[in-house]
Amino acid sequence: MTYVRPLLIIALTLAAVSPQQGMARPIRNGGKLLLTNGITSLEGASGGGLTPWAVIAGNETSDGIGLSAHGTLVEVKDYDYQSAGVAIGIRDRIELSYTHQDFNTNEIGAALGLGKDFAFSQDIFGAKVRLAGDLVYDRLPAIAVGIQYKNNNQGAVVRAVGAKSDEGVDYYASVSKLFLSRSILLSGTARLTKANQMGLLGFGGGKQGGHTLQFEGSAAWQLSRRIAIGGEYRRKPDNLNIAREDDWFDAFAAVAISRNVTATIAYADLGSIATVKKQRGVLLQFQTAF
Amino acid sequence: MSIILSLLLLQAPHALPGETAVDPYVADNRHAGAAPFEGDGMARAFGGQEGIRRIVDRFVAINFADPVIGEIFANHDQVRLKRTLFEQFCFILNAGCSYTGRDMASAHKDLGVQKADMNRLVETLQRAMGEEGVSFPAQNRFLSKLAPMRRDVIEN
């Protein structure tokens, strides 16, 4: 039952955009420039590591259907995090994604009374549509809107810490542009969300129950065809009474190891998580895309 | 003398000796599809006219031999393409040339170029520029002049 709504949203999205695809030419393979599909953000949307960009998953242009898969590992001071997921990019227009997140509280779980190695999990179904523009070629930047339906598996626990719900939907809009003359990519995202720590600590809380508007951004500098470095910022809501939530930052290097594999390493500062401050550490990701 | 010469160039052959004839058109630098860079920094980054000539010759050779986009070039006049591309690159890089070729829309009409082909072309050009030792930032600066031409090059 919980999956009915995301599936419905995805089906409606497909129905809404399918007429224009009926006119399109036959499918062909391959075609995006290296790194221009981005990496996979924590919640499964293509973009940077912390925030979506207005790009579509996979290596295909408007003449193809692309796929990507990723695995991400984040090791901060007191917690471990892993996520893995898949995405399909249809004609460089529509992106549908699924990601499963695991957040392990290690020793902190015991201190919080949840038990050592207590883990929160979450499933995220995402859909993104590039409305207009192009990351590389056109004067108009790429512009996309997206939604993320998130379902946390620890309903009783997240309610016990003060969350209003174990499921929620984020809505976002992204604008992204690679400025070739400077080899710099800039991307900004506005997100409506009620998620606590992306939803891993549930949705809404005593300080703030509903959706709030948050801003996120990435800046990347392309050093060569295969290497880009940059930084990201993600503003976060602060909904829960018992645990302050901080904004996120990272500094990353992404390498196109081959046409189909992108590896990313980042230093991330995730601030205070579940009452424990200064959660800083390393983010690693491998993404494969076709 | 130079006036007579430029008049001759304007009126006459749209194709030089050794090139296949093309339908008449009036030459105009605006056909190059981009305004030239200011100053001589980019011309120097590309090794002047000699460097640009080598890059264009290599670029054209790679494209004709390319497994993905080679067939788009297959029936093209390689001699004319090398000349007009050289003029276009040299003009945009402000290395002291005029462009006498056709505009981008006319030159690519009915070629059936798709977005993936354009990206492939960018990669072959990156290879040719890289082999000549053009720095990556300079490569991208040049590509930023070519990128807006995509709408005239690809088939919509």
Side-chain angles (χ1 to χ4, degrees), chain A residues 25 28 30-34 61-63 134 136-139 180-181 183 222-225 259, chain B residues 68 114-120 122-123 126 136-137 140-141 143-144 147-148 150-151 155-156:
Chain A
R25 288 167 302 213
R28 66 175 285 184
K32 275 193 194 141
L33 292 167
L34 285 179
T61 65
S62 52
D63 299 307
D134 186 273
V136 183
Y137 287 98
D138 298 341
R139 292 232 154 73
L180 275 173
S181 59
S183 300
Q222 205 185 354
L223 301 180
S224 76
R225 280 180 67 218
R259 198 173 283 283
Chain B
V68 179
Q114 295 185 319
K115 287 175 181 169
D117 301 319
M118 183 83 185
N119 285 344
R120 183 77 180 183
V122 167
E123 290 178 351
Q126 285 173 328
F136 186 74
N140 268 357
R141 279 194 78 195
L143 290 175
S144 76
R150 185 176 77 162
R151 60 176 175 269
E155 201 124 280
N156 286 306

Side-chain angles (χ1 to χ4, degrees), chain A residues 221-249:
Chain A
W221 183 31
Q222 205 185 354
L223 301 180
S224 76
R225 280 180 67 218
R226 294 183 181 279
I227 301 172
I229 59 171
E232 296 182 285
Y233 168 70
R234 175 163 172 174
R235 211 178 146 175
K236 309 267 294 314
D238 185 20
N239 302 331
L240 292 174
N241 283 323
I242 64 152
R244 192 186 85 224
E245 182 164 346
D246 289 331
D247 300 345
W248 285 356
F249 302 87

Side-chain angles (χ1 to χ4, degrees), chain A residues 43 126 206 214 223 289:
Chain A
E43 290 139 310
Q214 307 295 335
L223 301 180

Side-chain angles (χ1 to χ4, degrees), chain A residues 36-290:
Chain A
T36 60
N37 58 331
I39 66 167
T40 307
S41 56
L42 293 175
E43 290 139 310
S46 297
L50 303 183
T51 173
W53 295 349
V55 298
I56 299 299
N59 279 345
E60 301 303 325
T61 65
S62 52
D63 299 307
I65 296 177
L67 292 170
S68 77
H70 80 281
T72 302
L73 200 66
V74 182
E75 296 288 334
V76 288
K77 188 171 58 104
D78 295 299
Y79 303 109
D80 305 327
Y81 166 97
Q82 301 103 41
S83 58
V86 291
I88 179 168
I90 302 164
R91 293 193 181 274
D92 201 24
R93 177 65 64 189
I94 299 159
E95 172 183 293
L96 302 174
S97 60
Y98 166 74
T99 291
H100 181 81
Q101 300 178 323
D102 279 307
F103 172 60
N104 192 314
T105 57
N106 298 343
E107 304 291 336
I108 303 297
L112 294 173
L114 298 168
K116 185 173 178 294
D117 291 331
F118 181 86
F120 294 88
S121 292
Q122 179 167 250
D123 291 300
I124 303 175
F125 296 87
K128 184 185 345 177
V129 180
R130 185 176 57 82
L131 298 176
D134 186 273
L135 182 73
V136 183
Y137 287 98
D138 298 341
R139 292 232 154 73
L140 187 67
I143 300 167
V145 293
I147 57 170
Q148 290 170 340
Y149 168 77
K150 305 171 174 183
N151 190 279
N152 189 302
N153 78 333
Q154 297 288 1
V157 177
V158 298
R159 282 192 192 85
V161 301
K164 300 246 184 243
S165 174
D166 59 4
E167 62 173 359
V169 180
D170 285 6
Y171 308 89
Y172 65 88
S174 300
V175 177
S176 308
K177 184 72 193 163
L178 171 59
F179 296 93
L180 275 173
S181 59
R182 297 271 176 274
S183 300
I184 283 173
L185 182 149
L186 297 177
S187 182
T189 291
R191 180 193 300 262
L192 278 168
T193 183
K194 54 181 182 175
N196 312 322
Q197 302 293 2
M198 295 191 292
L200 288 166
L201 299 181
F203 302 83
K207 285 188 217 159
Q208 180 67 247
H211 284 88
T212 54
L213 182 62
Q214 307 295 335
F215 291 96
E216 306 165 7
S218 302
W221 183 31
Q222 205 185 354
L223 301 180
S224 76
R225 280 180 67 218
R226 294 183 181 279
I227 301 172
I229 59 171
E232 296 182 285
Y233 168 70
R234 175 163 172 174
R235 211 178 146 175
K236 309 267 294 314
D238 185 20
N239 302 331
L240 292 174
N241 283 323
I242 64 152
R244 192 186 85 224
E245 182 164 346
D246 289 331
D247 300 345
W248 285 356
F249 302 87
D250 78 7
F252 66 85
V255 180
I257 293 173
S258 74
R259 198 173 283 283
N260 303 112
V261 179
T262 305
T264 304
I265 183 164
Y267 174 78
D269 181 346
L270 307 185
S272 178
I273 297 178
T275 74
V276 190
K277 291 178 190 168
K278 295 187 177 168
Q279 297 304 319
R280 297 171 189 149
V282 174
L283 177 153
L284 289 170
Q285 179 183 102
F286 278 93
Q287 172 186 269
T288 182
F290 296 91

